[in-house]
Amino acid sequence: MAQLSGDPLAEILVEAGVISRQQLETAVAACDGGPERLDEALTRLGLAREEEIYSALARHLGLEYATEIDRSIEPGLLTLIPSEFAMRHQVLPLREEDHTLVVAMANPFDVTVLDDLRLLTSRDVRAVVASPRRISESIEQCYMEKMFRDIDEMQTEEVAEEDLEIADLQKMAREALVIKLVNLILHQAIQDRASDVHIEPHEKELRVRYRVDGVLHDASSPPRHLHPAIISRIKIMSDMDIAERRLPQDGRVRIKLGERMIDLRVSTIPTLHGESMVIRLLDRATGRMTLTDLGMWADTFSQFRQLITRPHGIILATGPTGSGKSTTLHAGLHEVYSPEKKVITIEDPVEYELRGANQINVRPEIGLTFASGLRHIVRQDPDIIMVGEIRDRETADIAIHAALTGHLVFSTVHTNDAAGAVTRLLDMGVEPYLVASSLIGVLAQRLLRTLCPTCKSPFRPTPEDLREIHLAPEEANSVTLYRAGECDLCRKGYLGRTGAFELLLIDEEVRHQVLDKASSGEIKQRAVEKGMRTLLADGRQKVLEGKTTIEELVRVCQRDEF
């Protein structure tokens, strides 16, 4: 779809009065040559609703606009268009009229797809315009249901998983329906912007869930007896041992979706009812963010940018798993990289490729740990080093000595707040004087789901609402907040995420506190007195700005952070 102001959709929307020329320029700048489509940028920025965009497109082309899609589609029509083709090109057969196949599509400009459909179906084809979200959800439901019907019609003898032989698993994994089913699950997860796919066996059901913007959502789930076949298929794709079902395993594979390359990180664990699998989806085209994309306020952004341009020292990012620490550090590396600097990273695993950097995957099974890898990295004459995580004293000691000998070191630790990272290093056994002389800054962070600009609605908060985020109840009449709605564009009122940040700068006073072995509470209290914005304060400001909700802030931040 269009990404530049000279493309057809852009001109159609301006001529129809859906957006102004200035709004178009804003959206085009937001795309910035990346993979985001113009319509996605417009809806994300709240400049136009998806319905307005596609109804205007349909009117301009003289086509029907489908406000709803009847999902009771004849199975024979779904057979005409393979699920892989439907997912790749986002087209869905709706009905047949006088030997003409009526299909829903979001991009009727793509005449190549229409020509391919005519050849594929041996029918005339007429396009109906529908929104991408409505088409994507309909494809998932319709093709999943058809596939489940096909599976139920197959004469299969159910066998206990523990009794299945390797040959049985290999045969099941190569069944055409199983291959299509796995492809459909993965493709739909990518369409839904999922970061992870969870495949969980229970006694009488197989549950598939997608994690979108940090929250799990149920997806269409296959029949329970297909669990061994699905797991085996993904294991074969990921070069894992299908015969081993008693021990955890890890694997990886890269798949191609259109022009995009998607890396899959696969993990299995044995459970009471069979192997549970989680697939991490890493889209190299969209995963990397710049510092300006993270959602920092201007003062935090300026302070953090000054930190990462220092010649030496340790900068730590802290927070729970999935809080975006690695993404932030990669954005910082991307910001400071230049051909004059040598950058080496050691990660578990390497999630995003950084142009110009030398990146290493840890491999504990052959002795390549963070500590051993870091010991050799410092002999490679680097300027900037990134260590995926400081887990033990040995890694911490090497990182600190690297910082003291003139290197800038990025790393992560798992603590609730920024001050907790200081005491965590001391708890590992690192000498206070080494921490005080090497650490230059700690960034704690959380990820908050952002409100969908299309369906969010304003409301006057009650005093109880304000107490939830430590605001004075008497401000209730002067504050307007927003609550989540629900539309075709979003997931229950939320679309995307932004960061909440707490930046602790290590100045002379903090260094003296470290040498005196002050508690994390004392360090944090003094930093707040000097102007540090806490995670709660940062998130609260985003609530007041209408970027997220009270419920989301309370969900993400722990009670002890309030």
Side-chain angles (χ1 to χ4, degrees):
M1 192 62 75
Q3 286 189 359
L4 301 175
S5 58
D7 283 346
L9 179 63
E11 299 305 319
I12 289 169
L13 296 179
V14 172
E15 290 176 10
V18 175
I19 57 173
S20 66
R21 184 70 61 179
Q22 184 177 0
Q23 288 173 322
L24 172 62
E25 292 173 357
T26 300
V28 170
C31 291
D32 194 28
E36 187 176 38
R37 302 190 311 262
L38 176 62
D39 59 310
E40 292 174 327
L42 289 169
T43 52
R44 176 174 59 82
L45 297 171
L47 301 177
R49 291 185 296 112
E50 198 173 49
E51 183 179 351
E52 293 175 325
I53 294 171
Y54 286 94
S55 60
L57 175 62
R59 285 195 305 272
H60 179 84
L61 297 176
L63 300 175
E64 176 187 344
Y65 175 65
T67 55
E68 297 292 339
I69 293 179
D70 183 1
R71 296 178 182 176
S72 56
I73 300 169
E74 293 182 17
L77 294 182
L78 295 173
T79 304
L80 289 174
I81 302 177
S83 58
E84 292 86 353
F85 186 96
M87 288 184 295
R88 186 183 306 116
H89 300 291
Q90 289 296 285
V91 295
L92 179 69
L94 299 179
R95 58 187 180 272
E96 198 167 15
E97 298 175 351
D98 299 328
H99 205 66
T100 297
L101 183 64
V102 180
V103 299
M105 59 192 306
N107 186 9
F109 292 115
D110 198 339
V111 294
T112 302
V113 172
L114 293 172
D115 290 340
D116 289 344
L117 283 172
R118 292 185 183 97
L119 290 172
L120 188 66
T121 63
S122 301
R123 287 163 171 77
D124 292 331
V125 177
R126 178 165 67 85
V128 168
V129 179
S131 70
R133 169 62 63 180
R134 191 167 282 118
I135 290 174
S136 178
E137 291 176 349
S138 300
I139 287 174
E140 176 187 10
Q141 180 176 330
C142 294
Y143 279 95
M144 280 286 193
E145 289 179 354
K146 177 184 180 299
M147 197 168 295
F148 297 162
R149 286 194 298 268
D150 293 342
I151 290 168
D152 289 338
E153 292 171 2
M154 294 172 60
Q155 297 298 317
T156 58
E157 180 183 355
E158 291 198 33
V159 182
E161 290 189 29
E162 59 270 18
D163 296 332
L164 288 168
E165 301 291 340
I166 298 177
D168 297 325
L169 293 171
Q170 290 174 333
K171 181 180 178 182
M172 294 168 67
R174 292 189 173 94
E175 290 283 351
L177 275 176
V178 172
I179 294 173
K180 289 181 179 179
L181 181 56
V182 169
N183 289 345
L184 190 60
I185 290 171
L186 295 176
H187 283 220
Q188 194 58 49
I190 294 166
Q191 290 290 337
D192 287 355
R193 302 181 298 106
S195 61
D196 303 86
V197 178
H198 292 244
I199 303 173
E200 304 161 327
H202 299 280
E203 183 177 5
K204 296 183 179 180
E205 66 172 347
L206 178 61
R207 193 178 190 189
V208 176
R209 295 191 288 173
Y210 299 155
R211 187 178 294 279
V212 181
D213 294 333
V215 177
L216 284 169
H217 301 273
D218 283 314
S220 299
S221 296
R224 175 66 178 83
H225 69 270
L226 283 182
H227 171 251
I230 292 170
I231 297 296
S232 296
R233 172 61 189 167
I234 299 172
K235 278 186 169 183
I236 289 173
M237 292 170 57
S238 310
D239 197 24
M240 299 163 71
D241 184 0
I242 65 171
E244 181 54 76
R245 286 167 277 172
R246 301 166 302 170
L247 295 173
Q249 289 191 69
D250 294 304
R252 63 181 61 191
V253 64
R254 180 177 293 185
I255 63 174
K256 189 174 184 181
L257 180 65
E259 299 301 318
R260 296 157 62 188
M261 298 302 298
I262 311 294
D263 285 340
L264 310 182
R265 302 283 192 266
V266 184
S267 173
T268 65
I269 57 170
T271 69
L272 183 63
H273 299 293
E275 288 181 286
S276 177
M277 177 175 281
V278 175
I279 307 168
R280 170 64 58 89
L281 306 173
L282 298 170
D283 187 344
R284 295 179 181 271
T286 60
R288 186 185 301 133
M289 303 178 74
T290 64
L291 279 183
T292 54
D293 298 326
L294 299 179
M296 292 181 182
W297 299 113
D299 55 346
T300 305
F301 175 86
S302 176
Q303 291 171 340
F304 186 68
R305 199 172 186 280
Q306 289 176 10
L307 272 184
I308 63 178
T309 54
R310 298 267 289 271
H312 54 81
I314 295 180
I315 300 170
L316 295 177
T318 184
T321 301
S323 58
K325 302 183 296 296
S326 295
T327 301
T328 296
L329 293 185
H330 272 275
L333 287 173
H334 181 72
E335 180 79 11
V336 299
Y337 172 76
S338 69
E340 293 80 23
K341 295 179 180 177
K342 180 162 185 172
V343 178
I344 305 180
T345 76
I346 180 165
E347 305 168 64
D348 183 22
V350 173
E351 294 188 355
Y352 308 118
E353 288 186 11
L354 182 64
R355 184 179 179 183
N358 298 275
Q359 296 176 272
I360 304 169
N361 266 317
V362 299
R363 297 183 63 187
E365 68 276 9
I366 60 172
L368 181 54
T369 62
F370 282 122
S372 63
L374 184 55
R375 188 177 293 108
H376 290 282
I377 285 174
V378 295
R379 301 170 188 163
Q380 290 284 308
D381 189 29
D383 296 289
I384 302 173
I385 301 169
M386 175 179 163
V387 184
E389 183 183 349
I390 293 178
R391 299 174 178 171
D392 50 50
R393 178 176 177 176
E394 184 181 9
T395 307
D397 281 338
I398 300 170
I400 286 171
H401 283 96
L404 293 175
T405 53
H407 303 90
L408 184 64
V409 181
F410 293 72
S411 193
T412 71
V413 292
H414 288 281
T415 59
N416 289 333
D417 57 13
V422 177
T423 54
R424 178 63 188 278
L425 292 175
L426 297 178
D427 291 341
M428 288 181 188
V430 180
E431 292 293 336
Y433 75 92
L434 291 175
V435 176
S437 56
S438 61
L439 192 63
I440 60 175
V442 183
L443 184 73
Q445 67 179 79
R446 300 290 188 276
L447 290 177
L448 300 168
R449 290 183 295 169
T450 52
L451 282 164
C452 173
T454 301
C455 62
K456 70 178 184 180
S457 58
F459 74 100
R460 287 288 183 185
T462 64
E464 289 72 23
D465 291 331
L466 297 185
R467 287 193 188 98
E468 281 283 315
I469 54 175
H470 287 198
L471 283 176
E474 54 268 21
E475 295 183 35
N477 293 328
S478 60
V479 172
T480 299
L481 302 182
Y482 289 82
R483 59 166 57 97
E486 191 163 358
C487 66
D488 290 331
L489 181 65
C490 63
R491 282 275 184 177
K492 297 182 179 179
Y494 296 96
L495 185 65
R497 290 191 288 180
T498 189
F501 299 96
E502 176 180 293
L503 180 59
L504 174 65
L505 301 175
I506 309 299
D507 57 17
E508 285 302 317
E509 186 172 353
V510 175
R511 290 191 180 94
H512 284 299
Q513 288 181 300
V514 173
L515 292 172
D516 294 338
K517 298 184 179 179
S519 69
S520 60
E522 293 171 330
I523 295 173
K524 182 174 183 176
Q525 180 180 352
R526 183 59 187 136
V528 170
E529 291 172 358
K530 293 189 294 182
M532 183 183 79
R533 185 185 295 109
T534 64
L535 285 167
L536 172 62
D538 191 282
R540 183 168 54 209
Q541 188 61 34
K542 288 178 168 66
V543 171
L544 295 173
E545 293 276 335
K547 294 180 179 179
T548 189
T549 61
I550 291 176
E551 294 78 12
E552 179 66 6
L553 181 58
V554 172
R555 181 187 72 85
V556 169
C557 288
Q558 299 182 27
R559 284 294 170 183
D560 57 4
E561 292 162 4
F562 282 73

